[in-house]
Amino acid sequence: MELLVKKAKRGDAEAFIALMEENKQSMYKVARGFLRSEEDAADAMAETVLNCYEKIGLLKQDAYFKTWMIRILINNCKDILQSQKRQMPAGDIPEREEERSRSEIPEFQELIEPLKEQDRSIFTLYYVYGMKVREIASYMEMKESTVLSRLKRGRDTLRDEMSGSRMKGGRL
């Protein structure tokens, strides 16, 4: 990947496209961890591709391209969430059951639905994307202990949810 980054930094559009293709699935998983709708995830990914293309020359260490790109993506996701909070009147917020019937939510997204928004993001980064607590703390701009406590609290919440409905006495 570092060779592609070097080429892309020199203006090679083909190399940049190859980089984005190589990281498309990871970007999607992270975006869906933050955003509920496919459209918002696609918007965040598109904005990230544009930002990366415009600023790839600023990347200091080629080996950290993916980390740099994911950080940009997370910032774009946060911007979309902030924008939605400012624009959407409380009466327009759809009910959870309506959301589920309108769009297909992957099983993991449905499983973590009871969690708070930020906890869903942490769960997605940790369980789907496989990031380490230290990386998540850096991306989310919080202490590692906060990430750990949110993971524990989220697991407890999900355990309680599942024991009440599907998995009597099951553990996460």
Side-chain angles (χ1 to χ4, degrees), residues 76-92:
N76 286 333
C77 290
K78 286 180 177 180
D79 289 347
I80 289 171
L81 290 171
Q82 285 290 49
S83 169
Q84 289 172 346
K85 284 180 184 175
R86 286 191 300 267
Q87 293 175 353
M88 189 178 289
D92 291 345

Side-chain angles (χ1 to χ4, degrees), residues 28-78:
Y28 177 76
K29 288 177 183 178
V30 171
R32 285 292 286 158
F34 278 85
L35 306 166
R36 292 184 182 198
S37 79
E38 294 280 333
E39 294 82 14
D40 288 342
D43 287 347
M45 289 172 63
E47 187 67 25
T48 300
V49 169
L50 180 62
N51 295 149
C52 287
Y53 184 75
E54 291 173 343
K55 296 185 174 70
I56 196 161
L58 301 176
L59 178 63
K60 291 179 174 54
Q61 295 182 355
D62 297 347
Y64 292 108
F65 172 80
K66 189 171 186 176
T67 303
W68 175 74
M69 177 197 64
I70 295 296
R71 181 70 213 156
I72 292 170
L73 176 62
I74 289 170
N75 287 336
N76 286 333
C77 290
K78 286 180 177 180

Side-chain angles (χ1 to χ4, degrees), residues 11-27:
D12 185 338
E14 299 276 330
F16 183 79
I17 291 168
L19 270 174
M20 291 297 111
E21 282 296 318
E22 193 173 304
N23 290 290
K24 181 170 55 175
Q25 191 66 29
S26 296
M27 287 174 54

